[in-house]
Amino acid sequence: MDGLVVAHTLPGVEAYLALRQEVGLSAMSVEGAAVGLPRSLFAVTLYEQELLVGMGRVIGDGGCFFQVTDIAVKPSHQGRGYGKIIMGEISAFLDTVPMQAYISLIADGEASRLYAQYGFVPVMPQSQGMFLPRIVPVPG
């Protein structure tokens, strides 16, 4: 992990959107990212030289609800423990929030195994995660 810089800063909008796309996360708009990123409660970014290679954020209301989101590591840098570094930094932040706060995340695929190492458990069958699908207009 020589040359790896761990920072508690937000990535730029373009770097954020590019990393999300590269790791296969859903597309977000430039406008949405420009508004949403600065509203993060906590962020951790991993850089090699000046290249963003990983990140994670915590969003929420700052008191009652916190959601871990945007956990991403460039495919070319996966398998090096970077996801654990990101989750370790996020866990340290979450240790500072009120004990009664509800902390959640959505785990895609095998990522649940990483999150389980940090105490996250499935909410089923008591609860079920849901989302509101939106139709994105096609330019033209």
Side-chain angles (χ1 to χ4, degrees):
M1 293 186 208
D2 270 348
L4 182 69
V5 175
V6 179
H8 293 164
T9 59
L10 291 165
V13 169
E14 294 80 16
Y16 167 74
L17 294 173
L19 181 60
R20 283 186 60 88
Q21 180 178 9
E22 187 173 352
V23 302
L25 295 176
S26 58
M28 297 293 168
S29 69
V30 171
E31 298 80 13
V35 170
L37 283 174
R39 293 183 178 171
S40 302
L41 299 175
F42 178 80
V44 57
T45 46
L46 306 182
Y47 291 92
E48 285 186 355
Q49 284 85 42
E50 296 188 21
L51 175 68
L52 178 66
V53 298
M55 71 165 293
R57 295 190 305 142
V58 178
I59 61 174
D61 66 14
C64 296
F65 297 94
F66 297 80
Q67 184 173 31
V68 177
T69 189
D70 289 330
I71 305 298
V73 175
K74 286 177 78 64
S76 60
H77 289 70
Q78 292 176 3
R80 301 182 189 183
Y82 289 6
K84 288 183 179 183
I85 292 170
I86 293 166
M87 284 305 299
E89 297 292 317
I90 287 174
S91 290
F93 168 76
L94 294 173
D95 285 344
T96 70
V97 308
M99 285 300 294
Q100 293 79 18
Y102 187 79
I103 302 168
S104 63
L105 58 75
I106 300 293
D108 293 334
E110 297 300 313
S112 61
R113 293 190 302 186
L114 170 65
Y115 306 137
Q117 294 176 41
Y118 295 89
F120 287 88
V121 297
V123 296
M124 291 287 284
Q126 296 85 0
S127 299
Q128 177 175 313
M130 299 178 77
F131 81 108
L132 178 64
R134 307 281 304 266
I135 297 173
V136 178
V138 177

